[in-house]
Amino acid sequence: QVQLVESGGGLVQPGESLRLSCAASGNILNINTMGWYRQAPGKERELVASVANGGSTNYAESVKGRFTISRDNAKNTVYLQMDSLKPEDTAVYYCNVRKTRVLVRDYWGQGTQVTVSS
């Protein structure tokens, strides 16, 4: 069992920045990929960004150049730096951790609200 706790969400104006953090605890061994998904009202959950244990990153086209994902393995934490935020970035952001040792297992945080509005 892995517990994920997100923080850093909030209400900001367009063009401002937020930094999301997700700290993993519990059975934190053998974490492979860490990432962020988001879900806006009436829409499906979508991948925002992910980072593999080797450092390779993947971003949604809509956030490339604006968001940066990083991880601190010593702290078992993944971050999402969000710059130049737009109203369309408004969503609940969910932390995701994937393990691929023997079996593929996904763990999810409870979500943190990001609202971009003037």
Side-chain angles (χ1 to χ4, degrees):
Q1 179 81 332
V2 174
Q3 293 80 47
L4 304 175
V5 179
E6 304 103 329
S7 63
L11 173 63
V12 297
Q13 296 186 154
E16 295 183 340
S17 298
L18 283 173
R19 180 175 168 88
L20 304 183
S21 298
C22 174
S25 62
N27 185 4
I28 58 175
L29 298 177
N30 304 309
I31 290 175
N32 192 333
T33 302
M34 307 182 78
W36 292 91
Y37 289 70
R38 68 185 181 188
Q39 187 168 25
K43 295 185 177 181
E44 296 183 353
R45 186 174 298 188
E46 65 175 349
L47 174 68
V48 178
S50 65
V51 55
N53 58 4
S56 298
T57 57
N58 185 43
Y59 295 93
E61 288 296 326
S62 61
V63 307
K64 284 184 177 179
R66 299 188 298 119
F67 291 9
T68 303
I69 190 169
S70 61
R71 63 193 290 177
D72 186 336
N73 290 328
K75 296 182 178 180
N76 301 303
T77 300
V78 62
Y79 306 93
L80 185 67
Q81 178 67 41
M82 304 184 294
D83 298 322
S84 302
L85 283 162
K86 304 175 180 179
E88 48 263 48
D89 295 318
T90 296
V92 177
Y93 284 69
Y94 296 91
C95 180
N96 168 261
V97 165
R98 171 166 287 189
K99 293 187 177 184
T100 56
R101 180 179 179 272
V102 182
L103 298 174
V104 176
R105 293 172 290 175
D106 284 302
Y107 303 89
W108 297 90
Q110 82 287 346
T112 184
Q113 177 71 47
V114 171
T115 302
V116 185
S117 177
S118 59

